[in-house]
Amino acid sequence: MLRFMPVGDSMTIGSAGEHTWRYRMWQHLRETYGGPFALVGPRETLYDKATDAPTSYEYAPGCDPAFPRAHLAGWGEGWLHMAPLIGEAVRAHRADVLLVSLGLIDLGFYTNAEQTAQNMRAFVAGARAANPRVRMVVLPVIPNVRAEADAPFAAEVARFNELLGKAVADLDGPRSPLLLASPPPSYDIHLDTYDGTHPNASGEHKVAEAFAEAMYQAWDLGEPYGA
């Protein structure tokens, strides 16, 4: 059984009432992946904006009750926060493939592009220490409202994405492949988010598609995304 672990920030954990891109990915894999698989991780909840805590199990109406909600994602968490956690999470949940979307929180509140890239490298090292054959798909920081309005922040995002690409090239290897997903080409913060940052239904599909297309094209895993 192939065990996928979604890792991310608020765009990955999602908030009460959402499907999340994790759900869209699970639907895609269920329809296209030829073998048994699972979503794994130490957490299951959504973020509850009313209580300002990750305590909600209220996924969107119509979510399939069979959906495995497991993940390693947190509202306001980034590479800085996940690097110390990933080793134990991979070890405990026997993760084979990490689907990672991080960086926006780091750059917005904690670290510059160079420091964020170093934390990304520490994350990869921690994951590999737990499973030397773990595979990782990493999504760059995708368009968001702050980058549209704040030129210095946009420059840090661009710089980090450049460093992320270099780190992936440096760290990739046949034993533990590291794959850089392409940002969703048609992603529009005015159409695909509900607040300029967090994906709505169409945005969820586009984020899931970015991961799915990367795995299909590089590893022949599954099929092209057909939302």
Side-chain angles (χ1 to χ4, degrees), residues 14-31:
S15 59
E18 297 176 15
H19 286 89
T20 74
W21 70 258
R22 298 180 282 110
Y23 181 76
R24 312 297 188 182
M25 174 59 72
W26 173 74
Q27 288 182 306
H28 170 74
L29 290 171
R30 189 172 61 168
E31 294 168 0

Side-chain angles (χ1 to χ4, degrees), residues 72-88:
L72 176 60
W75 200 274
E77 296 185 57
W79 291 108
L80 173 69
H81 307 85
M82 294 305 182
L85 303 179
I86 192 60
E88 177 57 28

Side-chain angles (χ1 to χ4, degrees), residues 58-201:
E58 297 299 321
Y59 283 76
C63 268
D64 190 322
F67 170 50
R69 301 167 177 177
H71 61 79
L72 176 60
W75 200 274
E77 296 185 57
W79 291 108
L80 173 69
H81 307 85
M82 294 305 182
L85 303 179
I86 192 60
E88 177 57 28
V90 168
R91 187 177 299 109
H93 299 277
R94 295 178 290 120
D96 302 301
V97 181
L98 306 181
L99 306 176
V100 188
S101 173
L102 290 168
L104 179 63
I105 294 298
D106 303 84
L107 298 169
F109 297 98
Y110 300 107
T111 50
N112 63 26
E114 285 74 15
Q115 292 165 332
T116 305
Q118 286 301 312
N119 288 330
M120 176 267 176
R121 288 173 179 266
F123 176 101
V124 172
R128 285 175 168 169
N131 176 4
R133 296 189 179 278
V134 70
R135 290 189 269 176
M136 290 171 257
V137 189
V138 182
L139 185 68
V141 177
I142 61 176
N144 63 85
V145 68
R146 180 170 174 183
E148 187 176 75
D150 182 340
F153 178 71
E156 282 296 302
V157 170
R159 175 62 176 154
F160 170 70
N161 283 344
E162 177 185 354
L163 293 171
L164 180 65
K166 291 179 179 178
V168 169
D170 289 345
L171 300 173
D172 182 33
R175 193 177 186 210
S176 175
L178 187 57
L179 183 60
L180 184 66
S182 297
S186 63
Y187 199 85
D188 185 331
I189 65 170
H190 305 291
L191 300 175
D192 298 316
T193 75
Y194 61 81
D195 61 357
T197 297
H198 300 95
N200 57 21

